[in-house]
Amino acid sequence: MNGPDQLHAPILCSDCGIYQLCLPTGIGQADIELLDKIVKNRRIFKRGEYLYRLGHPFHSVYALRSGSVKTYVLMDDGRVQITGFHIAGELLGLNAVNTRVYSCEARALETTSVCEIPFDRLEELGQQVPSLQYQMLRVMSQEIAYNQELMLLLGKKNADERLATYLIGLSSRFAKRSYSSTEFNLSMSRSDIGNYLGMAEETVCRVLARFEQEGLISMQRRLVRLKDIEKLTAVAQGGGKAESPSPAVGKRPQSPVSSRNKQVG
Amino acid sequence: MNGPDQLHAPILCSDCGIYQLCLPTGIGQADIELLDKIVKNRRIFKRGEYLYRLGHPFHSVYALRSGSVKTYVLMDDGRVQITGFHIAGELLGLNAVNTRVYSCEARALETTSVCEIPFDRLEELGQQVPSLQYQMLRVMSQEIAYNQELMLLLGKKNADERLATYLIGLSSRFAKRSYSSTEFNLSMSRSDIGNYLGMAEETVCRVLARFEQEGLISMQRRLVRLKDIEKLTAVAQGGGKAESPSPAVGKRPQSPVSSRNKQVG
DNA sequence: CGACCTGTTGAGCAGCCTCAACATAAGTGG
DNA sequence: CCACTTATGTTGAGGCTGCTCAACAGGTCG
């Protein structure tokens, strides 16, 4: 995690707020007005409704104004991997540019307000406003970096590290939107969290229960309070247990960092 | 997997070949010449050398002319997640656009020839050639879709499915480059494959050995021959074992597709 | 208030990791 | 060219993390 929006705190543009597409200095007022004309298309999605579905033709991108959305990919037999959890200020759907067909589904986790932006309009405008083009590249670049972190989590972290990473990541994202970074509402169910972090729902419960018992957090249903962010951060990076004598050995999780993993190209 | 380059077979542009940046109809001859001026910068990397490293400043993107490259992210304690395996015709480095700093490392797996393209030059040119901008979006969009598949693999597939998916994915990528789709050289070590698929090196060996024993493939060291692509494809999608009576039940791997996973937003 | 959805907790099992020894290939230097 | 060293791949035994199955508790909603 560490997640999206690494460097640039998304800035509201005018009334609708295209957030990630606008930079403080990147786009002028006149351009913003142009942009506003395009994005007037506001929509509300209720919990469980789809912004777009797998295989549907690509026509628009979506800027989230409020609420939250999960995106996920599917296997034939119904297995689900949630690939993203998106909150206000983020931009969805650009990943369908290549094939012109959505490669994943996006579904509202709660009542969610979005701006729907027709991509061809956005493209036209991009040719008049170079910095807009650049912003699109940035948004996608950011998503790639974000996905890389998730892959690291899925491939190399154990259950404790995954959940700690998840909580810390949420915390810092909320902080950037000026929400509380220590107390917030997970809009995802335990099952969703499991499908996001690559673990069973039950394991999510158990680990959270242990975190609470160890004084790292407190929870009631989907409301979390982070009580020891420092220790949580340590857990997320694999320094969770062992303040043990042996500093290098006993890292515990998969990937032993043994002499073999020297990675020689 | 199914991997990159879904729809557009990358086309060589002039002598250097910017592959993914060019479409048959997208970019005119004059533009290609412009592009060529920029990408004259050819370089050779030997096995183990870095195209770029974590935290280094972003200045260029790299188009692979021949050879292969792995990209990966790191944890503090040395754990590694390989996030991409790239072959001739693919474009690397665009994921650093956002932060202007590389968020991963790229390392040659064998002697590899690349075109190094200064990004600011590419951007300038993009403003004159709109379709080039669009191509960049496409390349990144494609990478995102590709990463989503990898996340699905890492989060939801068991060892057999992972390796089958990996082999099938390689096969179809080689096919698109007009290499043999049934016999090819894995340029990654077992350890790399493990760090890519999120499993231990030993497990990679064991599963490959079993695949060979079951007549799906034959291997000697890094040379693979796919002997039953159909069955391999079935395994990749989780239909590997059970041609069992019960069609829906007994899916076997993590994520039971039980009644609970109904995913209700 | 009953039906249902979500979350919690327990018991048992198994897939995959860890550790370790060995085999083979690939370099390296004399 | 061969002996040595190192990297890479293979195979076995055993244990642990996290999954599965299952029953139940607490909320939520009609």
Side-chain angles (χ1 to χ4, degrees), chain A residues 245-264:
Chain A
S246 56
V249 192
K251 282 281 156 37
R252 173 188 59 288
Q254 38 235 86
S255 165
V257 196
S258 66
S259 57
R260 329 190 70 181
N261 274 19
K262 243 170 289 177
Q263 61 155 352
V264 186

Side-chain angles (χ1 to χ4, degrees), chain A residues 47-50 53 70-75 78-82 105-109 188-189 191-192 195 201, chain B residues 257-265:
Chain A
R47 168 187 157 90
E49 289 181 342
Y50 297 93
R53 301 204 63 172
K70 66 175 175 182
T71 51
Y72 56 91
V73 288
L74 297 156
M75 282 179 70
R79 276 177 275 176
V80 168
Q81 174 65 41
I82 295 182
E105 312 214 311
R107 204 167 179 189
L109 288 164
M188 290 208 277
S189 68
S191 169
D192 276 347
N195 282 329
E201 174 179 1
Chain B
V257 197
S258 67
S259 56
R260 328 189 72 183
N261 275 19
K262 242 170 290 179
Q263 61 154 352
V264 186

